[in-house]
C-alpha cells in the first residue's frame, strides 16, 4: 500500500469519487470526519460501499476507520461493517499491542458469526495519538497476525500535550513529532509490518507533499495517508521504486547469488552485506506490488 486515501464515511459522493482514483487503499472513515449525529447513517453507507466494491473487478483495498475502543461506538461500527468483509480495520487512538489483541478478539467473534475466514480482516493502528502511547511502541511486535501496517498521527498528539503548533514556519515538524514519527517507523519495522507516514493536510500544496513523501521514502516508510484525491498520484510516484533503484537491488542480489557463501562484497565500489540484501529484497517486493518489478 503506497497511497491510502481517507474518505468521510457519510459521503456517498466522495466514496464514489475515491473509487475512481488510483489509491492502493481507501479508508472509509467512521471516526473524526463524521459528526456524531451522522455516525449511524455512515455505518450503512460504508457497508453498502464495501458490498459494491466487492462486486466490482479491479478495486482498491478497503479499510474502515472505526471509532476508538473506549468510544462506546466501536461495537456498533463492527456489527455494521464486518459482515460486508472489509480488507481491514484502522484503529485510531491505539494504545499498544493490548488494544490490537482486544480488537482482534472482537473481529474474530464477528468473522465467525458471518462465516468469514478466521483472521482475514487486517488491523492498521494509528499509534501515536496520545503521549502515553509513545511508551508502548515496542508492544506491537507479535501482538497479532492481523497487523498489516502501522501509522502515526500528529494532530491528536499535539492536542493531548497542549502544543500551540506541531510544525515550524518552514513546514518541518517540531522535535516531539519527529520523535513520534521515528518511533512509528521503528515500531512497524520491529513488528515486520509496513510503516505508513501520516497525512499532509495542506492538500493544495503539491510541492510540500512531494518533499514530505521524499523524506518519508528516504527514511523507510513505504506509503503515506492521503486526504484528497489530488494527493494520490504524488504519493504513488514517490513510493514506486525507480528503475535505477530496482537495477541496483537486482545487482546486489545477483552479486550474492554469483558468490555463494560470501558474506560481504563490493558492488559498484560500495560495500554490501546482510542488511543490504534484506533492503534489496524489500525494494523488489515493493516494485512487484506496484506493478513495476
Ligand atoms: N475522497 C473522495 N473525494 C474527495 C475527497 C476524498 N478524500 N476530498 C475531496 N473530494 C472530492 C470533492 O467531493 C470534490 O468533488 P465534487 O466537486 O464532485 O463534489 C473534489 O474532490 C474536489 O474537492 P475540493 O473542492 O478540492 O475539496 P473540498 O473542499 O470539497 O474538500 C476536504 C476538502 C478536506 C473536506 C476533503 O478533501 C475531505 O473530506 N478529505 C477527507 C477528510 C477525512 O477523511 N479526514 C479524516 C482523516 S484526517
Ligand atoms: Mg484524529
Amino acid at each position: 500500500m503506497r497511497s491510502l486515501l481517507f474518505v468521510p464515511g457519510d459521503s456517498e459522493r466522495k466514496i464514489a469519487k475515491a473509487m475512481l482514483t488510483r489509491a492502493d487503499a481507501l479508508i472509509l472513515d467512521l471516526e473524526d470526519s463524521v459528526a456524531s449525529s451522522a455516525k449511524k447513517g455512515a455505518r450503512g453507507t460504508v457497508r453498502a460501499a464495501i458490498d459494491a466494491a466487492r462486486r466490482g473487478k479491479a478495486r482498491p483495498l478497503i479499510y474502515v476507520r472505526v471509532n476508538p475502543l473506549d468510544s462506546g461506538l466501536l461495537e456498533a461500527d463492527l456489527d455494521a461493517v464486518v459482515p460486508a468483509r472489509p480488507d481491514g480495520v484502522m484503529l485510531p487512538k491505539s494504545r499498544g499491542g493490548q488494544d490490537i489483541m482486544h480488537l482482534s478478539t472482537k473481529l474474530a467473534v464477528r468473522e465467525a458469526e458471518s462465516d468469514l475466514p478466521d483472521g482475514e480482516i487486517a488491523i492498521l493502528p494509528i499509534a501515536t495519538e496520545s503521549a502515553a502511547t509513545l511508551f508502548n511502541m515496542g508492544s506491537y511486535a507479535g501482538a497479532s497476525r492481523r497487523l498489516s501496517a502501522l501509522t502515526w498521527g500528529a494532530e491528536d498528539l499535539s492536542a493531548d500535550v497542549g502544543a500551540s503548533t506541531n510544525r515550524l514556519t518552514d513546514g518541518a515538524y517540531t522535535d516531539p513529532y519527529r520523535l513520534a514519527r521515528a518511533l512509528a517507523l521503528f515500531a512497524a519495522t520491529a513488528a515486520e509490518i509496513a510503516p505508513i507516514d501520516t497525512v499532509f493536510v495542506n492538500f493544495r500544496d503539491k510541492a510540500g507533499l512531494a518533499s514530505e513523501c521524499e523524506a518519508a521514502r528516504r527514511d523507510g516508510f513505504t506509503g503515506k495517508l492521503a486526504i484528497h484525491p489530488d494527493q494520490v498520484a504524488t504519493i504513488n510516484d514517490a513510493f514506486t521504486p525507480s528503475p535505477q533503484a530496482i537495477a541496483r537491488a537486482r545487482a546486489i542480489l545477483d552479486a550474492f547469488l554469483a558468490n555463494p557463501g560470501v558474506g560481504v562484497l563490493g558492488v559498484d565500489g560500495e560495500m554490501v552485506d546482510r542488511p543490504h540484501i534484506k533492503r534489496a529484497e524489500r525494494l523488489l517486493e515493493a516494485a512487484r506490488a506496484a506493478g513495476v518489478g
Side-chain angles (χ1 to χ4, degrees), residues 14-57:
K14 284 181 184 166
I15 293 173
K17 268 211 130 85
M19 289 287 176
L20 302 175
T21 67
R22 311 285 304 251
D24 291 336
L26 304 186
I27 304 169
L28 307 183
D29 189 24
L30 294 174
E31 199 214 9
D32 286 349
S33 71
V34 178
S36 300
S37 58
K39 299 268 187 203
K40 208 169 162 201
R43 291 185 188 115
T45 303
V46 165
R47 180 177 177 146
I50 304 168
D51 283 336
R54 283 214 165 267
R55 285 195 297 271
K57 275 189 284 247

Side-chain angles (χ1 to χ4, degrees), residues 31-32 65 93 129 156:
E31 199 214 9
D32 286 349
R65 181 164 76 167
K93 320 285 188 294
E129 294 198 288
D156 290 82

Side-chain angles (χ1 to χ4, degrees), residues 86-285:
D87 296 293
V89 166
M90 173 182 264
L91 181 67
K93 320 285 188 294
S94 177
R95 291 161 298 196
Q98 291 274 356
D99 276 3
I100 302 305
M101 287 183 235
H102 195 163
L103 175 59
S104 180
T105 308
K106 292 180 186 295
L107 287 171
V109 171
R110 287 166 179 88
E111 283 169 342
E113 283 168 357
S114 299
D115 281 326
L116 300 178
D118 176 54
E120 186 193 59
I121 298 174
I123 300 178
L124 193 175
I126 311 182
T128 66
E129 294 198 288
S130 69
T133 62
L134 296 177
F135 299 95
N136 296 330
M137 296 297 281
S139 64
Y140 287 99
S144 169
R145 284 184 300 108
R146 293 181 192 271
L147 278 174
S148 59
L150 179 149
T151 190
W152 68 288
E155 302 312 318
D156 290 82
L157 182 58
S158 53
D160 189 37
V161 298
S164 53
T165 182
N166 52 27
R167 292 188 189 254
L168 301 170
T169 45
D170 67 356
Y173 278 112
T174 58
D175 280 345
Y177 308 94
R178 296 176 63 79
L179 175 66
R181 175 182 179 276
L183 284 171
L185 178 67
F186 296 136
T189 307
E192 299 185 2
I193 55 177
I196 306 293
D197 195 24
T198 193
V199 293
F200 184 77
V201 291
N202 194 351
F203 57 84
R204 305 271 183 245
D205 180 5
K206 284 261 173 68
L209 174 65
S211 80
E212 203 165 281
C213 285
E214 180 49 32
R217 190 198 56 77
R218 181 198 63 209
D219 287 346
F221 287 95
T222 56
K224 188 168 174 69
L225 302 176
I227 52 153
H228 192 287
D230 288 355
Q231 295 184 317
V232 169
T234 306
I235 294 175
N236 283 350
D237 284 351
F239 291 97
T240 302
S242 68
Q244 297 89 314
I246 293 170
R248 165 126 186 105
R250 290 220 175 97
I252 290 171
L253 296 185
D254 287 349
F256 280 98
L257 277 176
N259 295 277
V262 176
V264 61
L265 285 168
V267 174
D268 295 335
E270 209 185 301
M271 185 200 83
V272 293
D273 57 7
R274 181 99 217 106
H276 298 90
I277 297 179
K278 215 166 138 183
R279 209 179 307 156
E281 285 171 345
R282 273 215 204 124
L283 187 130
L284 292 178
E285 206 181 295

